[in-house]
Amino acid sequence: MTKFRRIAGALLLLGSLSLFGTEVEVLHWWTSGGEAKAVSELKNELNANGYTWKDFAVAGGNGSNAMTALKSRVMAGNPPAAAQVKGPSIQQWAELGVLANLDDVAKANNWDKLLPKQFQKIFKYKGHYVAVPVNVHKINWMWVNPAVFRKAGAQIPTTWAEFKVAADKIKKAGFIPVAQGGQPWQEATIFESIVLGIGGPTFYQKAMVDLDAKALGSDTMKKSFDTLRMIKSYTDKNAPGRDWNLATAMVYKGKAAMQFMGDWAKGEFSVAGKHVGTDYLAVDVPQTSGSYLFNIDSFIMFKQKDADKTKGQKELAKLILKNKFQTIFNVLKGSVPVIQGVPRAPFDDIALRSMDEINAAAYTHSLLPSLAHQMAVTDAIRGAVFDVITKFWNSDESSSDATKALVNAVQNEK
Ligand code: GAL
């Protein structure tokens, strides 16, 4: 066979493959090692069920680049079939009347029974399902390299006072105490856990969810900024602009002792072949034990003109909440299943702890939505809060000025 005929044959085959199933275009921001591995399972599931996954990946942790890309596609009248959107933003998209109603898939697959009651309202608009959740991530984790702690003769801290003692020892031993990236959402991720630890769950709810001006302007908030400043002094000079997964790598490579990050970090440890218990540990951010800051990833589906595409979306929604997908995806992603009754055996100790903690925290009113990860407030308010935290982090602004700025920023956006 001539080279030309071989190439022509290959092209023909490719053409027929893409005709094989209706394309379902999916926007997401899962591009780090662990994230990409997890999302490829969703792609495989969809393809195995007769559709063709069209990848619309927009790099950038926490999704702000992805959200910008989504807005411009919707404004151009060409939305993807599905997009990774979560928290109150789901309601905002639904209000525009652009989302598909998923009630028939939900009914046929028993979502009202499968999904925990306390989470259901996040995915419904005026009582109708408009989003399908994928997982539950916990935010208030601290990832630890035990070998670095050993070498420095330091104890793993459970309070901020103990943290300071340990961090000083680690620094003295020549390691970076805290691996930190330099992006507003990463700073906000630490800050909200500090607020939870210093103020407790009731205070967190008042300040970060209800946006109560008294709580936002309180002494507790000022103390939280003081703690953020203290943590910054234990980060390295190259932090600005660093991606979160590179910070995780600093921990597993033994350059740094700790990272404050949600449990998608576990996906990075796994991809690097690291084992929990020996190579790394996951403990609660100091002073937050018993509370659980949750972050639920989900997909919204945009109304389609083409009936086949609508079918494809519904197939995707259905597959996401099946036990099989909930298991493979969450094991790779570092999160836990969002539905009840998924067998526990395939999950590691960190995930099992997380599953149990969700139930326990719900019972004690300590299961709280993450502000940093789009679960607590609208994007506009979240952006205003991020600006205040980031300005403080990147300057020598005082904690009382930052506290005042926080009250004003929230007030202006409300
Ligand atoms: C979060 C998202 C996680 C993870 C992380 C870093 O907001 O919920 O799934 O991907 O960003 O990109």
Side-chain angles (χ1 to χ4, degrees), residues 29-30 35 61-62 86 137 244 264 295 297 333 373-374:
W29 66 84
W30 288 327
E35 290 175 338
N62 190 245
K86 44 186 172 153
H137 273 302
W244 67 271
W264 47 91
N295 168 26
D297 287 306
K333 187 71 169 62
H373 293 275
Q374 296 108 317

Side-chain angles (χ1 to χ4, degrees), residues 86 278 332:
K86 44 186 172 153
T278 44
L332 295 169

Side-chain angles (χ1 to χ4, degrees), residues 141-365:
W141 287 117
M142 185 172 88
W143 304 87
V144 167
N145 183 319
V148 174
F149 269 80
R150 254 195 323 272
K151 286 179 198 159
Q155 298 287 324
I156 297 171
T158 58
T159 65
W160 288 116
E162 288 173 12
F163 169 88
K164 201 171 171 337
V165 174
D168 280 334
K169 285 190 179 163
I170 292 162
K171 204 170 172 178
K172 218 166 153 202
F175 300 98
I176 300 165
V178 177
Q180 175 66 16
Q183 287 152 353
W185 72 269
Q186 296 192 55
E187 289 135 23
T189 299
I190 302 190
F191 186 70
E192 66 179 14
S193 290
I194 297 173
V195 171
L196 174 66
I198 293 188
T202 309
F203 178 81
Y204 179 95
Q205 170 74 33
K206 260 195 189 154
M208 310 297 263
V209 186
D210 304 340
L211 304 171
D212 175 87
K214 240 173 114 189
L216 287 169
S218 65
D219 219 43
T220 305
M221 196 55 81
K222 194 175 146 284
K223 269 192 207 136
S224 302
F225 277 110
D226 287 342
T227 305
L228 185 64
R229 177 70 77 226
M230 185 266 288
I231 293 173
K232 193 189 172 187
S233 70
Y234 295 111
T235 61
D236 68 322
K237 284 202 185 65
N238 298 326
R242 179 188 287 140
D243 286 330
W244 67 271
N245 50 322
L246 301 182
T248 310
M250 289 165 66
V251 176
Y252 64 67
K253 286 182 178 161
K255 292 193 172 129
M258 303 168 257
Q259 182 187 20
F260 299 100
M261 190 49 63
D263 38 22
W264 47 91
K266 201 172 70 182
E268 300 306 301
F269 285 105
S270 303
V271 164
K274 304 293 173 190
H275 298 287
V276 61
T278 44
D279 301 320
Y280 72 99
L281 309 173
V283 299
D284 291 320
V285 171
Q287 305 183 182
T288 68
S289 285
S291 295
Y292 190 114
L293 282 185
F294 69 86
N295 168 26
I296 302 179
D297 287 306
S298 51
F299 286 96
I300 53 175
M301 312 278 167
F302 287 89
K303 283 180 187 159
Q304 301 290 312
K305 291 189 193 103
D306 182 318
D308 274 345
K309 287 209 178 337
T310 306
K311 269 191 172 166
Q313 290 177 317
K314 299 210 164 156
E315 185 66 21
L316 183 67
K318 182 183 103 189
L319 293 170
I320 286 175
L321 287 188
K322 291 284 175 208
N323 275 6
K324 180 181 166 215
F325 174 73
Q326 285 289 310
T327 305
I328 339 174
F329 178 84
N330 285 307
V331 163
L332 295 169
K333 187 71 169 62
S335 38
V336 298
V338 65
I339 53 172
Q340 287 153 348
V342 176
R344 289 162 67 97
F347 291 92
D348 66 16
D349 286 352
I350 302 177
L352 294 178
R353 223 187 100 187
S354 173
M355 290 178 200
D356 296 341
E357 281 176 359
I358 295 179
N359 295 328
Y363 204 66
T364 56
H365 306 289

Side-chain angles (χ1 to χ4, degrees), residues 377-389:
V377 297
T378 61
D379 269 358
I381 292 178
R382 178 171 158 267
V385 172
F386 275 22
D387 288 349
V388 173
I389 299 170

